[in-house]
Amino acid sequence: MATTSPTRIDNELYASAKLVGGVMSRSAAQQIAHWARIGRELESSHSVSHSTIADVLAGRREYDALTEREQAVVRAEWTERIGARREELNLADEFSSAGRSYVELDADGNVVHHPRADESGRA
């Protein structure tokens, strides 16, 4: 588990992080951490182009055309976006509210069937 350290940032940066973070499904703190990681990667390599990476993330450019370093930055962003999206998902609630049954694996790998509300009384 990662540890955090308190730090002070100016109000303008925080407001920007809060605004952009909301669009990207991140908290302000997560957005600032994301920007810091991107900045670290960009500064450590003069061969990484932020606009090229943004184009790949937006689907305007091919991933395979990137350098290895640029691909690493894109993969890190994809990993973060996928993680954020997974945290937002609650498929059990979605399926239940839509009246759908579903199955899942328990911690031991056994299939568990969750019936629709109108199926729950059946044997």
Side-chain angles (χ1 to χ4, degrees):
M1 175 191 251
T3 60
T4 60
S5 300
T7 187
R8 293 179 189 253
I9 59 170
D10 68 37
N11 290 337
E12 183 180 334
L13 178 61
Y14 179 81
S16 293
K18 191 172 180 180
L19 180 67
V20 173
V23 172
M24 302 302 286
S25 300
R26 297 182 187 113
S27 69
Q30 290 169 327
Q31 186 63 40
I32 291 167
H34 169 71
W35 283 338
R37 282 190 295 278
I38 289 174
R40 179 183 61 208
E41 290 299 320
L42 290 174
E43 286 184 353
S44 68
S45 172
H46 298 290
S47 65
V48 175
S49 164
H50 180 66
S51 62
T52 300
I53 291 168
D55 284 347
V56 170
L57 293 171
R60 295 185 297 265
R61 189 177 288 233
E62 292 294 319
Y63 172 83
D64 291 336
L66 299 177
T67 66
E68 287 182 14
R69 194 94 165 132
E70 289 168 332
Q71 287 179 354
V73 173
V74 169
R75 285 192 309 273
E77 174 63 17
W78 283 339
T79 298
E80 189 169 318
R81 288 182 182 188
I82 290 167
R85 180 65 180 125
R86 287 183 70 200
E87 286 179 17
E88 294 173 358
L89 289 176
N90 189 335
L91 296 176
D93 284 351
E94 287 184 36
F95 291 151
S96 294
S97 64
R100 295 179 55 190
S101 64
Y102 64 97
V103 295
E104 65 182 336
L105 296 179
D106 66 15
D108 296 323
N110 301 307
V111 175
V112 178
H113 178 260
H114 298 275
R116 294 188 320 242
D118 65 347
E119 293 178 333
S120 59
R122 295 183 192 171

